[in-house]
Amino acid sequence: MTDNFEIFDVQEEKPKKRKNIFKRIVWLVIVLLILGYFSTSVYQVGPSEMGLVLTFGKYTSSTGPGIHWHLPYPFQSHRIVDIKTLKKVEIGFRTVNYRGKIEYQTVSEEALMITGDENIVNLEAVVQYRISDPVKFAFRVLNGFDMVKFATESVLREMVAINVIDSVLTSERDRIAMETAEKVQKILNEYESGIKVENVYLQEVSPPEEVVKAFDDVNSAKQDKEKFINEANRYSNDVIPKAEGEAQKILREAEAYSYEKVALATGEAQRFKEMLEEYSNAKDITKKRIILEAIQDLLENSKQKIIVDSSDTLKLLNLPEIGGDLK
């Protein structure tokens, strides 16, 4: 009876099953490793990003948004760069989120700057930039954020140092921001960073808190100075034209007086010349006329007259006693 049946050895069958399971696990691990290895060749590029493919570590091509693949490592690799997002660098302050509320904290070591007239000003700025050349940005710049931050802070300190505090606080803020953006862009271009500066905003420009009161006093004094200067100018604008008008009037009167005297003198001189000419033509007659005119003047101004006649008798005639002057 025992020859008709095949006898299975249970103890011999168990090692075979274990061996098969082990083989399956090994193959599964190998397949997973192979899939994992080839999964490194698949990558996704977002809508605002650009993919850069490297072959043996050297840039070879760019890819746009979507799912792409390349040869697995170490043959090819990729880097993804965000080229559309507007990035921001804060200088002199930091934006913090505290219990759901956005707050700002001043960073004094960045914000305090010295002006050209040796005053200290608290300046907080924001720089906005984009990546204009992803290849340069990915392979020539180690940290684009720090590069923009340090370049902008350096240029801002330079711009503040060549301006006085009044212009930094008031009229020159926009010009300083604009020129800072231009200079920072020039520096970034020299380093071939692939970064484009969009805007530089001066968020807060004010004196340090420790000197705000003194600064307000100085401003008040300056305003008073301007007020007094304006009042003085208004007074001078009122008085000076009047004085100038009066001076012109006196000058014209003097000129008129001068013309009058010159005309009279000229007339007298002309008359004298005519008399001289007449005298030259008839010396005896003129001489007698002058003598008679002189005697007439003498008699008109004398109270006593002495008359000498041919009898050699001296006769005095007292005119007041006989009734008045002899004319």
Side-chain angles (χ1 to χ4, degrees):
M1 291 298 290
T2 56
D3 295 336
N4 296 330
F5 297 96
E6 186 178 359
I7 300 173
F8 293 94
D9 188 351
V10 177
Q11 297 298 327
E12 185 179 353
E13 190 67 19
K14 285 183 179 180
K16 290 182 179 178
K17 289 183 178 179
R18 289 178 182 175
K19 188 175 181 180
N20 291 333
I21 293 172
F22 178 74
K23 287 182 179 178
R24 290 176 182 175
I25 293 173
V26 170
W27 277 109
L28 179 62
V29 171
I30 292 173
V31 169
L32 290 176
L33 289 175
I34 293 173
L35 291 176
Y37 175 68
F38 281 97
S39 67
T40 59
S41 64
V42 180
Y43 63 98
Q44 182 177 3
V45 180
S48 64
E49 299 171 338
M50 176 172 284
L52 307 176
V53 179
L54 294 84
T55 303
F56 296 109
K58 185 177 181 180
Y59 167 75
T60 53
S61 62
S62 300
T63 55
I67 297 177
H68 307 275
W69 70 276
H70 54 66
L71 295 177
Y73 183 83
F75 305 103
Q76 286 187 321
S77 61
H78 69 276
R79 293 187 62 177
I80 295 177
V81 180
D82 189 343
I83 60 173
K84 292 185 178 179
T85 301
L86 187 64
K87 299 176 175 57
K88 181 179 73 171
V89 175
E90 298 172 342
I91 298 174
F93 75 102
R94 297 290 183 271
T95 303
V96 294
N97 194 342
Y98 180 73
R99 294 180 179 178
K101 294 175 62 178
I102 296 177
E103 296 182 354
Y104 302 96
Q105 291 181 350
T106 300
V107 182
S108 299
E109 56 268 26
E110 294 180 4
L112 295 179
M113 301 183 184
I114 299 178
T115 63
D117 52 355
E118 298 183 353
N119 285 293
I120 297 176
V121 66
N122 187 77
L123 189 147
E124 298 175 357
V126 172
V127 186
Q128 294 178 331
Y129 69 95
R130 298 180 194 274
I131 297 173
S132 58
D133 190 328
V135 177
K136 291 182 178 177
F137 180 80
F139 303 115
R140 297 190 66 86
V141 177
L142 293 177
N143 191 324
F145 179 88
D146 285 345
M147 176 176 279
V148 174
K149 179 177 180 296
F150 294 145
T152 306
E153 185 178 346
S154 174
V155 173
L156 273 176
R157 291 188 183 280
E158 176 188 349
M159 295 299 297
V160 170
I162 61 175
N163 288 277
V164 298
I165 188 170
D166 287 342
S167 60
V168 174
L169 294 175
T170 56
S171 60
E172 300 299 323
R173 288 183 54 170
D174 293 340
R175 183 184 62 80
I176 290 174
M178 183 177 65
E179 292 185 4
T180 298
E182 294 174 353
K183 291 188 175 184
V184 171
Q185 183 64 65
K186 185 178 180 181
I187 293 173
L188 296 176
N189 291 341
E190 291 176 352
Y191 284 107
E192 297 184 354
S193 63
I195 297 174
K196 180 183 179 183
V197 177
E198 296 290 344
N199 294 296
V200 174
Y201 297 106
L202 302 186
Q203 296 280 92
E204 177 73 21
V205 183
S206 61
E209 294 183 0
E210 295 80 2
V211 298
V212 168
K213 188 175 183 304
F215 189 81
D216 291 340
D217 292 340
V218 171
N219 281 337
S220 178
K222 289 182 178 178
Q223 291 175 358
D224 290 342
K225 174 186 174 184
E226 293 296 327
K227 176 184 175 183
F228 294 142
I229 290 175
N230 291 333
E231 290 180 352
N233 289 333
R234 185 175 59 188
Y235 178 75
S236 66
N237 291 335
D238 180 51
V239 171
I240 290 177
K242 290 182 178 178
E244 290 178 346
E246 188 68 23
Q248 289 296 325
K249 178 184 176 184
I250 295 173
L251 181 62
R252 296 292 178 269
E253 290 177 352
E255 289 177 350
Y257 180 77
S258 171
Y259 293 148
E260 180 184 1
K261 291 300 181 183
V262 170
L264 290 174
T266 303
E268 288 294 327
Q270 185 61 32
R271 190 173 67 85
F272 178 78
K273 289 181 179 178
E274 292 175 354
M275 289 178 62
L276 179 61
E277 184 178 358
E278 293 296 330
Y279 175 76
S280 300
N281 294 334
K283 293 183 179 179
D284 294 338
I285 296 173
T286 304
K287 182 178 179 181
K288 290 181 180 178
R289 183 176 59 81
I290 293 173
I291 293 172
L292 291 175
E293 289 178 355
I295 293 173
Q296 184 179 0
D297 292 339
L298 179 63
L299 292 175
E300 287 177 355
N301 296 324
S302 300
K303 294 181 180 180
Q304 290 184 345
K305 306 296 190 282
I306 300 172
I307 299 173
V308 179
D309 56 12
S310 58
S311 62
D312 295 332
T313 302
L314 183 60
K315 299 178 181 179
L316 298 177
L317 183 61
N318 191 359
L319 294 178
E321 291 182 357
I322 62 177
D325 296 335
L326 177 63
K327 295 184 180 180

